[in-house]
Amino acid sequence: MGNQLMTDQPLSSDERRQKYAVPALEKGLDIIERLADEAVPVTQSQLARALGRQPGELFRMLACLEGRDYVRRDPATGGYMLTLKLFELSRIHSPYEALLTAARPYMRQLADTVRESCHLSVLNRNHVLVLAQEESPKPFRLSVEVGSVHSALRTNSGRLLLASLPVAERAALLADEPEWAKLAVKERRALDGRLQQIAETGVAISIGERFTGGADIGVLVGGAGHSVAAALTIAVLVDAGKDADVAHLVEPLREMAQAINRTIGLEPTAPR
């Protein structure tokens, strides 16, 4: 009698988490993620309340994390805070180290040429992570914090990166995005149409959408068909009473993106 092959149905991220749960690991990750959200040291009792646990549940986990140098105690308050160990570990095998090394001189050249700030960002799960920035030489300029995380749906860089994904991959990412779930059907269709337009032109532009007086224009570095996909974006501070003139920034952006691509061994970015 022949063997019958059985194939498991694909599990969602929540289903996988429930099926293969490791409570102790979950507890440790909850602590790390909570401390990452806090700007000041947090006591064991405060952590317990925030995580919906008893203080005693966290004692051994905090002692372990402290012993492994992932967290440390503030001598004044006794509260816990993250050390730089996670940051250092992330840099050891960063897939973007070569990209950053190649991009920085071109980003500096771009900022000096167009006299506007520019930044480089990537998708980190369903959010946008800013990897690098070069500031405008102007006395008044827009700036974004390196290492900061932003919404993929509500940022110009995020929409550019979403538009670069294969349709199925983008749909799977958005399915786990709470912001997407809150959108009405009409809003989803409008966003889908916008992403399609960005995919066709290879350029994403937003003017005054998140902040009055600010405009963003971005193009891809790497992208479709490559293991690297990053958004190179110029952030423009628009003078009061004037229209945002960003069309002239498209070509310098494309040139720098192509120069970065060549340096890291990728084909020049082109509209699809």
Side-chain angles (χ1 to χ4, degrees), residues 9 30 34-35 41 43 45 49 51 63 68 73 87 91 101 106-107 122 124 154 161 186 192 204 220 226 244 254 260:
Q9 292 296 320
D30 285 344
R34 184 68 193 187
L35 290 177
T43 66
S45 296
R49 284 195 297 271
L51 298 176
R68 297 288 295 269
R73 283 217 219 172
F87 176 74
R91 290 175 58 85
T101 301
Y106 292 111
M107 292 175 64
V122 295
N124 180 31
R154 294 189 294 110
L161 291 165
K186 184 177 180 181
D192 278 333
L220 276 177
H226 299 302
R254 286 196 190 280
I260 295 169

Side-chain angles (χ1 to χ4, degrees), residues 121 123 128 151-165 170 190-192 194-199 203-210 216 218 220 231 233 272:
S121 50
L123 277 180
V128 173
S151 164
L153 295 180
R154 294 189 294 110
T155 58
N156 195 64
S157 297
R159 290 187 290 267
L160 177 63
L161 291 165
L162 287 174
S164 74
L165 296 176
R170 182 166 71 229
L191 181 55
D192 278 333
R194 187 170 185 182
L195 294 178
Q196 180 60 34
Q197 182 181 31
I198 293 172
V203 181
I205 298 175
S206 64
I207 299 174
E209 291 187 26
R210 294 194 69 192
D216 289 329
L220 276 177
T233 304
R272 292 182 292 163

Side-chain angles (χ1 to χ4, degrees), residues 36-139:
D37 287 336
E38 298 291 341
V40 296
V42 182
T43 66
Q44 182 175 321
S45 296
Q46 290 171 329
L47 266 175
R49 284 195 297 271
L51 298 176
R53 297 180 180 272
Q54 295 298 318
E57 291 183 71
L58 305 185
F59 176 76
R60 293 178 64 183
M61 187 61 65
L62 285 167
C64 177
L65 290 171
E66 187 176 9
R68 297 288 295 269
D69 294 325
Y70 286 95
V71 305
R72 68 179 181 87
R73 283 217 219 172
D74 178 58
T77 65
Y80 291 89
M81 65 184 77
L82 290 179
T83 66
L84 292 178
K85 186 169 183 177
L86 285 172
F87 176 74
E88 291 299 327
L89 287 175
S90 71
R91 290 175 58 85
I92 293 175
H93 299 293
S94 170
Y96 296 110
E97 200 62 40
L99 171 62
L100 288 173
T101 301
R104 283 192 177 102
Y106 292 111
M107 292 175 64
R108 182 67 265 162
Q109 182 182 342
L110 179 63
D112 288 341
T113 300
V114 302
R115 298 186 62 78
E116 301 289 355
S117 299
C118 64
H119 57 272
L120 192 72
S121 50
V122 295
L123 277 180
N124 180 31
R125 292 181 292 182
N126 55 348
H127 290 85
V128 173
L129 172 66
V130 179
L131 293 180
Q133 179 191 235
E134 289 293 342
E135 293 194 345
S136 163
K138 293 179 179 178

